[in-house]
Amino acid sequence: MAGSVQAPLTSARAAQDVELEPIQLVAPDGTPTPETRYRRDLPPETLAWLFESMAVTRALDVEFVNLQRQGELALFATCRGQEAAQIGATACLRKTDWLFPQYREMGAFLLRGITPAQMGAVWRGRWHGGLGFTEKCVAPIAIPIGTHGLHAVGAAMAAQRLGEDSITVAYLGDGATSEGDAHEAMNFAAVYKAPCVFFVQNNQWAISVPVSRQQAGPSIAHRAIGYGMPGVRVDGNDVLACYAVMEEAAARARRGDGPTLIEAVTYRLGPHTTSDDPTRYRSDDEVERWAALDPIPRYRKYLQHIDVWTDRLEHRVQSRSARLCAELRDAIINTPDMDVGELFDTVYADITPTLQAQRDELLAEMAKEA
Ligand SMILES: Cc1ncc(C[n+]2csc(CCOP(=O)(O)OP(=O)(O)O)c2C)c(N)n1
Ligand SMILES: [Mg+2]
């Protein structure tokens, strides 16, 4: 009996040194920090690629918001301010590692080669939105908060049983960690040493609920102690720090040592979605404080500091951003909407009477509007 309680206590103790101070490799002024436990000496082309990916994500994000404001999209969830977290945490993974996004992870989609047209189809609400993601080892977005944590753990356990060396990543929000699903996912993952990383983007808000209402403990990362896995807090606005801690967590999962809970401390600079008015629940002062920590100018200063910054990189960012934004705009505006009737055709080999009735009702409704 003593032995059976001893084992989890030991692994929990190993995880007990969760630091409250987030890991940071690049200071807000763009200079390297004294941190020596993680490497920042990536090859110059990788360093430049990280910048390019962050800046192109930002440009696409702006284009999405514009398209929504122009009435082309009903809704969009911006990731402005969270580019370092998403790019850093995804860039160090293998293309065969499975990503389980929430809904705000455009940086991760970009890195996986999900096209602007594919991303646009999701927010345009086309019936095939999300199709094709799985070909890139990306699960469709999960609007029901926290559910995809379980999918990520299930997929990780499947990979484990099949003897594959791929890992899975669940991208959760701070609010998502309060869901029962997130608890079940983390507990299962820790108990079964599933090769899964929980990457929580703590962007300080879950719509209008501040992160202070998501836990009474010292931090989200500290919950890892209770599950018996390592917990790491990282500066989510520092792309190199996010890269480094995810690289370490991915290696741990891949060698069979189980999951890690990473809390990337960041900020949602924009509204929750284009339907939200954040001035109703947060102060301009707060937003300005975080805007000064914007991950993109910070990293640009760092690249300048280490002499990796070039005008060519700037031009490359501009031309790729322009090309992808044009692709997005074209896909949203000029591609005819799919026949919504097809939505029902692909559910079962033979349509059920209930679905047929729903299909008829929808088509009749739409015919009235046309
Ligand atoms: C199960 C469930 N409950 C409530 C909602 C409504 N909802 C949509 S987004 C959201 C907040 C999520 O916050 P967080 O996990 O921090 O992610 P963020 O939007 O900040 O990226 C809520 C409550 C939902 N989609 N699903
Ligand atoms: Mg949040």
Side-chain angles (χ1 to χ4, degrees), residues 173-175 201 203-206:
D174 44 293
Q201 291 171 79
N203 64 6
Q204 312 299 322
W205 292 93

Side-chain angles (χ1 to χ4, degrees), residues 82 102-104 143-145 172-177 179 201 203 205-207 214 268 272:
Q82 297 178 224
Q102 195 152 291
Y103 41 70
R104 209 182 282 290
I143 301 287
I145 299 296
L172 300 169
D174 44 293
T177 63
E179 288 284 345
Q201 291 171 79
N203 64 6
W205 292 93
I207 316 186
Q214 305 297 349
R268 189 193 81 213
H272 172 70

Side-chain angles (χ1 to χ4, degrees), residues 105-176:
E105 280 71 34
M106 189 157 63
F109 299 150
L110 182 79
L111 284 183
R112 277 304 168 89
I114 306 283
T115 65
Q118 284 176 303
M119 297 182 212
V122 172
W123 292 107
R124 179 81 169 188
R126 293 209 160 108
W127 77 260
H128 67 298
L131 293 189
F133 281 44
T134 51
E135 284 152 29
K136 306 275 170 59
C137 295
V138 181
I141 65 170
I143 301 287
I145 299 296
T147 49
H148 58 294
L150 291 162
H151 307 159
V153 175
M157 289 172 70
Q160 191 180 42
R161 279 160 174 67
L162 291 168
E164 292 174 357
D165 67 354
S166 66
I167 66 153
T168 70
V169 177
Y171 298 79
L172 300 169
D174 44 293

